[in-house]
Amino acid sequence: MNKNRINLFLDIALAFVFVLVLEEKFTGQRLHELIGVGLAVGLVLHLILHLRWFITITLTFFRKVFHESRLSYILNLFLFADLLVIMVTGIGISRTLGLNLGLERDLMQDFERLHIQASNFSLLLVGLHVALHWKWIANHARRYIFRLPFRRSKPSLAAEGVVQS
């Protein structure tokens, strides 16, 4: 399986899980926390698959780099920081995963407010992330999801016996 196909299906799964985990009232507390852990694992895999891009842009950020790559890089840094805040505060306020960290009540409330604010902000950041990569998503979705199974490629002129002069 090629890397673009893996990235596409992982990204679709992450988008679906991201939307699902955003509404705790829909899933319930326990499932919200379990899905959040799964999302964190998926995000780590996403980062690993894009590590080469990150390193390349980091090393060449102030050199001649396409403006879109710089914008994407900065957006990704903000998104990473925001998701890290969501994960850390989520672990801190977890009520069903057996992770009683013994935090004081005031700190728990601060973590919960920060968790909610960072989650709301992540919706904007993820939307921008998807928008910046929309052309890639559409092209690869067309290639790997929406292609017709029995579509024939156009025959070459040579195969039809047409001679070019």
Side-chain angles (χ1 to χ4, degrees):
M1 198 171 219
N2 76 29
K3 186 177 175 181
N4 285 328
R5 182 178 283 186
I6 292 168
N7 279 328
L8 177 67
F9 287 109
L10 177 62
D11 292 352
I12 290 169
L14 285 173
F16 176 75
V17 171
F18 175 76
V19 170
L20 185 64
V21 80
L22 274 178
E23 191 52 57
E24 177 191 340
K25 292 175 184 138
F26 179 71
T27 61
Q29 181 75 34
R30 176 132 177 93
L31 197 52
H32 171 80
E33 292 181 11
L34 288 172
I35 293 170
V37 170
L39 182 60
V41 170
L43 289 170
V44 168
L45 182 56
H46 180 84
L47 291 172
I48 290 169
L49 289 172
H50 293 85
L51 189 60
R52 176 176 281 153
W53 176 87
F54 179 77
I55 291 169
T56 301
I57 299 300
T58 300
L59 295 174
T60 61
F61 188 80
F62 293 107
R63 293 188 204 151
K64 195 174 188 179
V65 176
F66 292 118
H67 69 288
E68 188 176 310
S69 294
R70 281 193 185 113
L71 177 61
S72 183
Y73 181 85
I74 292 168
L75 176 65
N76 287 334
L77 287 178
F78 278 110
L79 184 56
F80 176 76
D82 188 60
L83 292 172
L84 194 59
V85 167
I86 292 168
M87 288 183 251
V88 169
T89 57
I91 290 169
I93 63 175
S94 173
R95 294 182 186 101
T96 66
L97 296 178
L99 303 171
N100 186 358
L101 301 179
L103 301 177
E104 295 180 17
R105 186 169 188 240
D106 289 341
L107 185 57
M108 286 282 285
Q109 289 174 340
D110 290 342
F111 266 34
E112 190 165 347
R113 277 192 294 275
L114 187 57
H115 185 76
I116 291 168
Q117 290 171 347
S119 297
N120 291 337
F121 188 51
S122 73
L123 188 58
L124 171 69
L125 295 175
V126 168
L128 290 171
H129 182 79
V130 169
L132 276 176
H133 295 87
W134 186 250
K135 185 184 272 186
W136 184 92
I137 293 166
N139 286 337
H140 287 85
R142 195 175 307 120
R143 177 179 291 162
Y144 298 119
I145 297 174
F146 298 115
R147 68 176 178 192
L148 298 174
F150 301 107
R151 185 173 74 185
R152 289 182 2 190
S153 61
K154 291 183 180 179
S156 69
L157 294 175
E160 292 182 357
V162 177
V163 178
Q164 295 178 351
S165 48

